[in-house]
Every structure is written in structure tokens, then in C-alpha cells.
Amino acid sequence: VIYYFYAGRPGNRENAALRLLVAKVNAQYNVCSLFVDAEGDLCFQYNLSFDDRLSARLFRRQLLHANETAREILRRHEEDFLPYLAK
């Protein structure tokens, strides 16, 4: 499992509007799961699947893909997420 965390604001965990936004984004994309952790941070979770062994090359490619995907999702929804991200 690969996680990317983006610093959030206090109170995000209980914010109903943010929960709706997270549900909308999760329904729109199937490459990862987005959730809000106990500290209010936005978290992207990626599952890394492989057969018997995980090569360094595959691991690196998966990390790069997960990083690019998280950035692209945040870019596409930047105005929506901005109020919930730490300054």
C-alpha cells in the first residue's frame, strides 16, 4: 500500500462538505482511494499489486504513477480542495 498525505486543517474529519467531495472524487476515479485521516489530512491510498517478487523498477514506476495521479486529481479539483488544505 502506498499513501500520499496532504496537510489538512483541523475540523476536516467532521466536515460534511469535505466528506461529500471525497465521495465524489472516489466515485470519479478508480486508481486510488481518497480519505481524510484522524488529523484532518487528505490521504490518497494506492494498492500495489505484484506476483512473486517486486522489482525496484516496478516499485519506482508505481511510486511515480501514484505521485502523478495524486497531483493530477488535486489539480483538477484544486478550487474544491483548497479550503481544506493547510496553508
Side-chain angles (χ1 to χ4, degrees), residues 37-85:
D37 71 5
E39 289 80 33
D41 299 330
L42 294 176
C43 305
F44 290 84
Q45 176 183 329
Y46 297 83
N47 292 320
L48 176 59
S49 300
F50 55 93
D51 290 326
D52 296 330
R53 293 183 356 188
L54 175 63
S55 69
R57 182 177 180 210
L58 176 60
F59 184 66
R60 184 176 187 281
R61 284 195 339 218
Q62 290 289 346
L63 281 176
L64 290 173
H65 175 71
N67 186 34
E68 290 170 4
T69 302
R71 286 180 161 187
E72 181 62 18
I73 291 171
L74 283 176
R75 186 192 65 75
R76 289 184 183 187
H77 299 277
E78 183 175 10
E79 290 184 23
D80 297 326
F81 281 120
L82 200 55
Y84 307 108
L85 296 174

Side-chain angles (χ1 to χ4, degrees), residues 12-51:
N12 275 355
R13 184 89 173 149
E14 297 82 24
N15 191 301
L18 179 56
R19 282 198 306 270
L20 288 173
L21 176 59
V22 166
K24 174 186 162 189
V25 170
N26 280 329
Q28 191 172 6
Y29 303 97
N30 64 358
V31 294
C32 64
S33 293
L34 176 63
F35 64 95
V36 178
D37 71 5
E39 289 80 33
D41 299 330
L42 294 176
C43 305
F44 290 84
Q45 176 183 329
Y46 297 83
N47 292 320
L48 176 59
S49 300
F50 55 93
D51 290 326

